[in-house]
């Protein structure tokens, strides 16, 4: 779990002067001392405060802004003004983007820094995706879904995926923003318009900071645009991150070309699925939205946190918020939304796993090892995925990947590739959570006559038109009667 799931500060940068820098940091309160009540990261500093022992401690402005030079001080005031004047949606996405880019620029825990992708890396990715698509032609009836293949840096991944994160997170953030305004007693809300507006701006900044940190960290881990089972990138664009692929394959003992090709197979398989199952994206994002609507904000905890906030003890605020304010409602609707989302994610990832294994197994000696490595990676999740679990109240990874993969493989044996992939024609045809418990029962169940179902759906769609025509006919008849009467 992230140390600051709802924290405001950016990860502190390593001091340039080694142990001496660490000593100074300890003496100054680590940049998050009493003079730093909110800890928003600013250009040129880990946060507002330099701590009581920092330079100019007797100067109130120096105590607040540390050793910022005039240029950084101006940037600090500008960012603070932008934060408090924000009047957009529930999340300050400008701030999220800025902080994500800053987090990426700081590099990952292993010391790797982001870098522009060179021509050789771009060509290697394009070649890998092209070959992957050829291999997948034998493993699935769904045609290629990648109109182009791109190699992204981490910063480019951030830019390309923020619109999808916005669609995922805004519904939850909207609920929190409303709850922050509801903390005030009802009789005070009419008189406290500016205060409520400021609280919502702060809420937007809080989410923007947290989303930015999480997306920035995730950018250092992902290898493509569909790592978490959701289509985060632009449609029809198969994307890989060469730097992260190199890091991923570093200690596997597998040639880099095979690692890249296996990951290209996964990316290309996701692209086929989302390109040729038109309802799938809205189904997944709709399930996230449905789950979000059932989340309630613990307003009692929020009131307690706001009421007891001590500017001299900002860690207390972060500790309280770290416990989480989101509680899924224990209702049949909420349980159904969660089951629907988790099952859908499992089916997507299970299908990709089964299809990629079928394509890679005869051609790559490392197919089994890479498959197991990726399964374990998905099962354990990274710190950024865990941060989103706290932020959204939901783990965006399938819990039942292995069960779903076995079911898809069994369907291939029993019905063939065409029969298996035909199940994606409509969400009601897909296996359910119960079917994952009894895959054999689903596999050997009497197959649905798809043509008959299409006929039934067509007839159902025509019925309103028939009723409409009938109503129109009745109206015309009545009018005619009226004319005759005249």
């Amino acid at each position: 779990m992230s140390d600051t799931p709802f924290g405001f500060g950016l990860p502190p940068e390593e001091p340039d002067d080694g142990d001496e820098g660490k000593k100074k940091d300890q003496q100054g309160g680590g940049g998050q001392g009493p003079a730093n009540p909110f800890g928003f990261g600013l250009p040129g500093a880990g946060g507002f405060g330099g701590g009581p022992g920092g330079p100019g401690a007797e100067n109130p402005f120096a105590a607040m802004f540390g050793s910022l030079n005039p240029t950084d001080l101006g940037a600090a005031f500008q960012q603070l003004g932008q934060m408090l004047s924000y009047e957009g949606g529930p999340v300050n996405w400008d701030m999220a983007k800025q902080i994500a880019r800053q987090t990426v620029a700081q590099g990952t825990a292993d010391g790797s820094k982001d870098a522009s992708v060179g021509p050789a890396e771009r060509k290697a990715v394009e070649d890998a995706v092209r070959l992957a698509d050829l291999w997948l032609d034998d493993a699935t009836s769904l045609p290629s879904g990648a109109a182009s293949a791109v190699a992204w840096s981490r910063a480019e991944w951030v830019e390309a995926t923020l619109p999808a994160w916005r669609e995922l997170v805004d519904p939850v953030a909207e609920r929190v923003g409303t709850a922050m305004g509801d903390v005030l007693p009802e009789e005070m809300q009419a008189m406290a318009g500016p205060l409520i507006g400021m609280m919502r701006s702060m809420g937007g900044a809080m989410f923007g900071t947290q989303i930015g940190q999480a997306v920035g960290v995730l950018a250092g881990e992902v290898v493509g645009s569909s790592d978490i089972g959701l289509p985060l990138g632009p449609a029809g664009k198969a994307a890989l991150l060469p730097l992260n692929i190199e890091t991923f394959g570093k200690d596997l003992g597998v040639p880099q070309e095979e690692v890249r090709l296996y990951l290209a197979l996964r990316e290309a398989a996701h692209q086929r699925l989302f390109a040729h199952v038109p309802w799938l994206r809205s189904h997944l994002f709709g399930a996230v939205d449905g789950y979000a609507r059932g989340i309630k904000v613990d307003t009692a905890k929020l009131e307690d946190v706001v009421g007891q906030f001590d500017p001299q003890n900002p860690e207390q605020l972060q500790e309280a918020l770290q416990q989480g304010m989101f509680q899924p409602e224990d209702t049949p609707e909420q349980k159904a939304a969660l089951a629907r989302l988790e099952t859908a994610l499992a089916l997507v990832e299970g299908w990709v796993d089964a299809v990629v294994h079928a394509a890679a197994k005869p051609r790559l000696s490392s197919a089994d090892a890479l498959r197991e490595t990726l399964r374990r990676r998905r099962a354990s999740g990274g710190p950024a995925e865990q941060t989103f679990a706290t932020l959204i109240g939901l783990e965006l990874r399938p819990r039942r990947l292995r069960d779903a993969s076995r079911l898809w493989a069994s369907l291939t044996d029993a019905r063939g590739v065409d029969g298996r992939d035909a199940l994606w024609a409509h969400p009601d045809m897909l296996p359910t959570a119960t079917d994952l418990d009894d895959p054999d029962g689903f596999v050997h169940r009497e197959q649905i006559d798809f043509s008959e179902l299409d006929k039934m759906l067509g007839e159902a769609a025509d019925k309103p038109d028939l009723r409409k025509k009938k109503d129109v006919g009745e109206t015309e008849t009545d009018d005619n009667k009226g004319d005759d009467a005249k």
Side-chain angles (χ1 to χ4, degrees):
M1 185 64 62
S2 171
D3 290 336
T4 57
F6 279 94
F8 300 106
L10 288 175
E13 296 183 359
E14 289 294 328
D16 294 331
D17 46 358
D19 293 337
E20 287 299 317
K22 292 177 183 176
K23 290 176 184 176
K24 291 177 185 177
D25 187 63
Q26 291 167 0
Q27 293 170 357
Q32 293 286 342
N36 182 8
F38 295 106
F40 281 95
L42 296 169
F48 279 141
E58 296 183 3
N59 182 330
F61 288 100
M64 180 175 289
F65 294 103
S67 57
L68 293 176
N69 61 44
T71 302
D72 290 336
L73 187 59
F77 277 119
Q78 183 180 12
Q79 183 169 341
L80 181 61
Q82 290 173 349
M83 178 187 72
L84 294 179
S85 63
Y86 175 72
E87 296 180 352
V91 177
N92 189 331
W93 287 103
D94 291 336
M95 179 173 284
K97 177 179 175 180
Q98 178 185 0
I99 291 177
R101 294 292 298 263
Q102 290 175 351
T103 304
V104 164
Q106 290 174 1
T108 56
D110 63 4
S112 67
K113 296 282 188 178
D114 193 23
S116 299
V117 180
E121 291 172 316
R122 294 188 187 279
K123 186 177 186 308
V125 166
E126 290 171 0
D127 291 345
V129 171
R130 189 179 302 112
L131 182 57
D133 255 337
L134 287 175
W135 289 5
L136 287 171
D137 285 340
D138 296 331
T140 173
S141 62
L142 300 180
S144 174
S148 62
V150 294
W152 283 341
S153 66
R154 292 167 179 169
E156 288 173 322
W157 182 89
V158 168
E159 296 277 354
T161 62
L162 272 179
W165 290 119
R166 183 170 192 159
E167 191 173 346
L168 284 168
V169 176
D170 269 352
V172 181
E174 182 67 47
R175 294 184 60 80
V176 178
T178 302
M180 291 183 78
D182 292 343
V183 166
L184 293 174
E186 186 174 346
E187 62 273 11
M188 291 180 59
Q189 290 186 22
M191 300 182 294
L195 178 58
I196 293 176
M198 188 180 75
M199 290 178 70
R200 287 181 174 166
S201 294
M202 292 291 289
M206 177 185 79
F207 267 99
T209 302
Q210 184 62 20
I211 294 293
Q213 287 177 339
V215 169
V217 173
L218 193 57
E221 301 174 352
V222 294
V223 295
S225 71
S226 52
D227 279 29
I228 65 170
L230 294 170
L232 298 179
K237 188 171 286 189
L240 295 175
L241 283 73
L243 177 59
N244 291 355
I245 290 175
E246 181 181 352
T247 303
F248 171 78
K250 192 174 183 181
D251 300 319
L252 296 180
V254 176
Q256 189 72 15
E257 294 76 14
E258 290 194 19
V259 174
R260 185 191 303 113
L261 183 52
Y262 192 87
L263 296 176
L265 281 165
R266 289 184 55 82
E267 179 71 12
H270 276 104
Q271 292 294 332
R272 288 185 180 226
L273 192 58
F274 287 109
H276 298 291
V277 182
W279 54 264
L280 183 56
R281 186 185 191 278
S282 59
H283 179 75
L284 286 169
F285 279 70
V288 174
D289 183 56
Y291 181 79
R293 284 197 301 270
I295 292 174
K296 63 181 179 181
V297 179
D298 190 343
T299 53
K301 178 179 288 187
L302 185 58
E303 279 186 44
D304 187 57
V305 169
V306 173
Q308 297 184 16
F309 173 62
D310 179 5
Q312 298 300 315
N313 188 8
E315 292 80 7
Q316 182 182 14
L317 175 64
Q318 293 191 353
E319 271 179 31
L321 295 177
Q322 188 171 345
Q323 306 302 316
M325 291 185 296
F326 308 116
Q327 298 176 346
E329 291 185 337
D330 189 19
T331 63
E333 293 79 12
Q334 180 69 352
K335 289 178 180 178
L338 179 59
R340 187 164 58 249
L341 177 57
E342 289 187 332
T343 301
L345 284 171
L347 291 174
V348 167
E349 287 297 279
W351 183 89
V352 168
D353 180 76
V355 167
V356 167
H357 186 69
K361 177 70 172 174
R363 300 175 174 97
L364 291 178
S365 59
S366 58
D368 288 332
L370 289 170
R371 182 190 203 188
E372 188 59 30
T373 299
L374 282 162
R375 280 180 167 185
R376 290 179 180 177
R377 184 175 188 253
R378 295 284 285 136
S380 60
E385 287 180 300
Q386 293 167 3
T387 300
F388 277 112
T390 299
L391 185 67
I392 305 177
L394 174 70
E395 294 182 0
L396 289 177
R397 62 174 187 268
R399 298 170 184 267
R400 308 191 64 182
L401 168 60
R402 292 177 188 269
D403 293 338
S405 181
R406 280 195 294 268
L407 187 146
W408 287 118
S410 298
L411 281 168
T412 308
D413 294 338
R415 304 185 187 181
V417 168
D418 291 345
R420 177 201 66 198
D421 292 346
L423 292 176
W424 290 106
H426 191 276
D428 290 344
M429 298 178 187
L430 289 177
T432 64
T434 304
D435 294 324
L436 292 180
D437 295 329
D438 181 23
D440 289 337
F442 180 84
V443 169
H444 299 294
R445 189 179 303 163
E446 184 177 349
Q447 295 190 38
I448 299 172
D449 187 340
F450 296 113
S451 60
E452 188 64 26
L453 181 60
D454 287 339
K455 182 180 176 183
M456 292 169 60
L457 292 173
E459 290 176 354
D462 289 339
K463 285 182 181 179
D465 293 337
L466 292 173
R467 285 197 298 269
K468 185 176 179 182
K469 289 177 181 177
K470 183 179 179 182
D471 293 340
V472 171
E474 289 174 351
T475 302
E476 291 175 349
T477 302
D478 292 341
D479 291 342
N480 291 337
K481 288 179 179 179
D483 290 339
D484 294 337
K486 292 176 184 177

